[in-house]
Amino acid sequence: MSNGLLQTLEKYLPSGSAQYAHDLLWKYGIQLHIKKPRKTKLGDYRPPRPGEPHRISVNNDLNPYSFLITFLHETAHLINFEKNGHKVKPHGGEWKSEFYEVSKPILVDSYLPKDVLTAVSNYVKNPAASSCTSPELVRTLKQYDIRKELHLLVENIQEGAQFYIENRLFERGPKLRSRYRCKEIVTGKWYFVPGLMEVKPKL
């Protein structure tokens, strides 16, 4: 692995953690793709085809802590695949164990702020299929988004206030468990929107 790759990783990862990510890329022969933002996922892992390396992709708009957690999430998939192939569930107990193990080196104060350290430590004890499903982790990581002043979580929008999902204008309604009943202004249709969805408030 080149110094150029290490320098690239330093642009996306928390200070001090790039070398660890670099070592994982070298150890497992990972081809890393830093992608433009995707609506449906933060990253993914693809097993190697004959003669090709393992491939991991991570979205380029993530803050450093989200980027690191996503990278380790996908690396755990790789390790789980190498050990167990397709015989186990993608996010079963084997993957959870690998994710915990590969995350342990970053659970130190020098890599993560106190609030992120606490949220990540709690999350890796029993991780879900996506970090987006952990309310504590999502709320903590969102505080470090560069564009946070332009976006809010639906749960932070006042009832009756309007917001955009892409170019569609909605009005926030009442909460029903973890979702909110929201009306699309143009069509008048009602939708159930997750409270942890990031939206743009109408100014």
Side-chain angles (χ1 to χ4, degrees), residues 4-5 15 19 22 35 46 48 55 57 66 80 91-92 96 99 120 132-133 136 138 147 164 172 176 189 192 202:
L5 176 59
S15 176
Q19 186 64 56
H22 185 280
K35 296 278 192 176
R46 296 184 182 183
R55 289 174 293 172
S57 72
S66 295
N80 193 28
H91 296 99
K96 290 181 179 183
F99 182 59
V120 173
C132 295
T133 61
E136 179 192 12
V138 168
R147 55 179 184 162
Y164 291 96
R172 213 217 80 181
L176 300 171
K189 293 182 178 180
F192 292 100
K202 183 180 179 182

Side-chain angles (χ1 to χ4, degrees), residues 3-165:
N3 289 333
L5 176 59
L6 182 60
Q7 292 173 355
T8 298
L9 292 171
E10 288 171 346
K11 296 177 183 178
Y12 292 96
L13 291 166
S15 176
S17 65
Q19 186 64 56
Y20 179 54
H22 185 280
D23 292 345
L24 288 172
L25 291 171
W26 180 85
K27 180 178 180 179
Y28 294 104
I30 302 169
Q31 187 178 85
L32 178 65
H33 297 270
I34 300 175
K35 296 278 192 176
K36 293 180 180 179
R38 292 164 289 184
K39 297 177 183 177
T40 58
K41 56 188 174 182
L42 304 181
D44 64 13
Y45 163 67
R46 296 184 182 183
R49 297 174 180 176
E52 294 184 357
H54 295 280
R55 289 174 293 172
I56 286 177
S57 72
V58 183
N59 292 358
N60 68 5
D61 64 334
L62 302 182
N63 70 53
Y65 309 113
S66 295
F67 193 102
L68 178 59
I69 297 307
T70 301
F71 173 71
L72 294 177
H73 177 117
E74 304 305 337
T75 300
H77 279 303
L78 182 160
I79 299 171
N80 193 28
F81 174 80
E82 283 208 334
K83 290 184 177 181
N84 302 298
H86 295 290
K87 297 182 294 184
V88 294
K89 294 180 179 179
H91 296 99
E94 295 85 357
W95 171 79
K96 290 181 179 183
S97 177
E98 297 302 340
F99 182 59
Y100 178 74
E101 289 299 322
V102 80
S103 298
K104 282 199 299 187
I106 65 124
L107 298 181
V108 293
D109 291 342
S110 60
Y111 289 167
L112 306 176
K114 292 287 187 180
D115 57 343
V116 176
L117 176 63
T118 299
V120 173
S121 297
N122 291 336
Y123 174 69
V124 299
K125 292 175 183 176
N126 187 26
S130 170
S131 59
C132 295
T133 61
S134 167
E136 179 192 12
L137 186 57
V138 168
R139 294 185 186 111
T140 302
L141 292 176
K142 288 296 181 187
Q143 300 303 309
Y144 294 88
D145 283 352
I146 295 175
R147 55 179 184 162
K148 66 181 180 180
E149 70 280 359
L150 299 177
H151 293 74
L152 292 173
L153 301 180
V154 171
E155 67 179 20
N156 299 134
I157 301 286
Q158 291 186 349
E159 186 169 349
Q162 296 182 347
F163 61 89
Y164 291 96
I165 299 178

Side-chain angles (χ1 to χ4, degrees), residues 156-201:
N156 299 134
I157 301 286
Q158 291 186 349
E159 186 169 349
Q162 296 182 347
F163 61 89
Y164 291 96
I165 299 178
E166 296 182 353
N167 295 319
R168 300 164 64 188
L169 183 62
F170 291 82
E171 181 178 300
R172 213 217 80 181
K175 182 179 181 181
L176 300 171
R177 295 187 178 181
S178 63
R179 294 176 180 265
Y180 292 79
R181 192 166 181 258
C182 300
K183 182 174 70 175
E184 186 176 14
I185 300 302
V186 172
T187 65
K189 293 182 178 180
W190 292 87
Y191 295 85
F192 292 100
V193 181
L196 295 176
M197 176 176 282
E198 187 179 72
V199 299
K200 184 176 181 180

